Amino acid sequence: MGYVDWEFAKTTGRTLVPAGPVVSPAEARAEVEAIRGAARAARGPVADTARLHTPPDAPDALVVDRATWIAVNVDSMSALLDPAVDAIVEKRGVVPGAAAQVVGGKVTGAEAGALLAFMASKVLGQYDIAPDGTPSLLLVAPNLMATARELDVDPADFRAWVCMHEETHRVQFTANPWLREHLIGQVRHLAIDLAPDQERIQEIASRVTERLPELFSEGGTGITELFATPEQREQLARVTAVMSLLEGHADVVMDDVGPAHIPSVADIRRKFGERRRGGGAPDRLLRRLLGLEAKMRQYKDGAAFVRGVQAEVGVDGFNAVWTSPETLPLPQEIADPTAWVRRVHA
């Protein structure tokens, strides 16, 4: 057994995740087919707008339920984090006993499962980079259906709108294969570096009460505020800049494609923007603690970066960003697109 009981994470997630909308088997089949069709239809417009192309042998999008989304993400978390956990244990030089591993594995597995159960009812789609498997685009059928109903928008237009965004993520990685390995390596390195030693844990414990307002404050990055040193925050900022690029680019492509293919795109964008900002007080506090509000800022900051660069050098000039790790935006460049243009296109 490893240090995280990933199978227990799956069980916990399946147990805790809320049920999706109540539909008949026929309605469920129709929704799945409609989502698959929307995903296929998104390929051409996204490729033409982004001027990036997915290889023809790339797998089709997978339409999944919440439990399957949890299972896929548990497998990806395991492949991503197990090497990091092994490296952390080796660095510390202390191997827990068998009994401690069993108990600790259950605890961490339950924590991972609970977190994924919370997220599984909210995520609409995801490009799973699958560190040890085959990357795939996931579209969560019950959430697409439930969100369209919640927003009171045209279901077909909403499917198309979401698929445009997620197809952009698929083309980002499939048209630029180096990006997946680069991101995996960065996240694994960060996971190892962020793990606090015993002295650091004691320091964190002594200061946790005084820093609680910081964790729950608007604009914070969540619980990582407790663990990260200034050097680690700089590393985290580099990864965050890449995520801002990916999310912002997907939003820009989605908005550029939308008017020609989605009649009610303006209504959907307005209502979905309100949903991103919304939620009750407990939900907002939990999102802040987990750093999910920081992810929401990635859409806005990244989109402004993409628009700023394209205004100066066009779409083809912007696509130089996908050339290598060295051409990815630095944290300070996300807020200053001209600085990226000067560095890359000088």
Side-chain angles (χ1 to χ4, degrees):
M1 175 178 290
Y3 299 100
V4 182
D5 188 336
W6 295 110
E7 289 304 314
F8 193 62
K10 292 179 182 179
T11 301
T12 303
R14 286 195 301 267
T15 302
L16 295 179
V17 69
V22 177
V23 296
S24 69
E27 288 174 316
R29 287 192 297 271
E31 181 69 15
V32 168
E33 286 305 312
I35 295 171
R36 286 176 178 157
R40 288 191 295 268
R43 291 184 186 179
V46 166
D48 293 342
T49 302
R51 298 182 194 171
L52 298 170
H53 296 274
T54 294
D57 60 346
D60 291 336
L62 300 177
V63 182
V64 300
D65 58 15
R66 291 172 177 176
T68 303
W69 183 87
I70 289 171
V72 171
N73 275 269
V74 166
D75 289 340
S76 288
M77 287 177 68
S78 171
L80 186 66
L81 296 180
D82 277 348
V85 173
D86 290 341
I88 291 167
V89 172
E90 183 178 350
K91 182 171 70 173
R92 291 180 177 175
V94 178
V95 179
Q101 285 193 45
V102 171
V103 174
K106 293 290 185 186
V107 171
T108 51
E111 291 169 344
L115 173 61
L116 289 172
F118 171 76
M119 297 178 67
S121 63
K122 301 180 181 301
V123 66
L124 301 175
Q126 170 198 1
Y127 187 77
D128 174 41
I129 60 176
D132 287 345
T134 301
S136 59
L137 175 59
L138 307 177
L139 297 164
V140 188
N143 295 351
L144 282 163
M145 179 177 283
T147 305
R149 291 178 178 178
E150 174 192 338
L151 298 179
D152 190 25
V153 295
D154 181 89
D157 282 3
F158 186 69
R159 289 186 210 105
W161 189 72
V162 171
C163 286
M164 297 292 183
H165 181 99
E166 301 304 335
E167 174 62 20
T168 306
H169 285 317
R170 191 173 85 119
V171 79
Q172 288 165 349
F173 285 95
T174 54
N176 309 288
W178 65 268
L179 182 61
R180 172 175 171 257
E181 290 302 322
H182 172 74
L183 196 57
I184 290 170
Q186 290 289 302
V187 172
R188 280 179 174 161
H189 177 76
L190 188 60
I192 295 170
D193 204 48
L194 279 176
D197 55 26
Q198 189 62 36
E199 182 179 337
R200 178 74 175 146
I201 289 174
Q202 291 172 353
E203 178 191 345
I204 291 167
S206 68
R207 299 183 60 197
V208 65
T209 302
E210 67 182 74
R211 297 196 64 185
L212 276 178
E214 183 181 343
L215 296 183
F216 287 107
S217 65
E218 187 173 358
T221 57
I223 201 168
T224 54
E225 294 282 355
L226 273 182
F227 294 94
T229 64
E231 294 78 12
Q232 291 164 346
R233 290 182 186 183
E234 184 177 346
Q235 293 179 45
L236 186 59
R238 284 180 171 268
V239 174
T240 301
V242 176
M243 300 308 296
S244 294
L245 166 70
L246 298 176
E247 296 295 357
H249 181 238
D251 259 14
V252 167
V253 171
M254 175 176 64
D255 286 347
D256 286 352
V257 171
H261 298 270
I262 305 169
S264 61
V265 64
D267 183 52
I268 292 172
R269 166 58 82 185
R270 177 181 59 79
K271 290 180 177 179
F272 196 77
E274 293 171 356
R275 179 179 183 267
R276 279 180 177 172
R277 295 187 296 270
D283 184 67
R284 287 198 301 272
L285 288 176
L286 184 56
R287 289 191 328 217
R288 288 176 186 173
L289 180 62
L290 297 175
L292 296 179
E293 282 206 346
K295 180 174 176 61
M296 295 301 101
R297 292 195 302 276
Q298 289 171 9
Y299 293 94
K300 180 180 178 182
D301 296 346
F305 169 80
V306 175
R307 291 287 188 203
V309 171
Q310 290 183 353
E312 293 196 42
V313 294
V315 174
D316 292 330
F318 164 78
N319 280 346
V321 79
W322 312 115
T323 306
S324 72
E326 287 69 36
T327 55
L328 292 172
L330 301 173
Q332 60 271 26
E333 291 171 343
I334 289 293
D336 186 5
T338 299
W340 180 88
V341 173
R342 284 197 304 266
R343 179 172 66 85
V344 174
H345 287 282

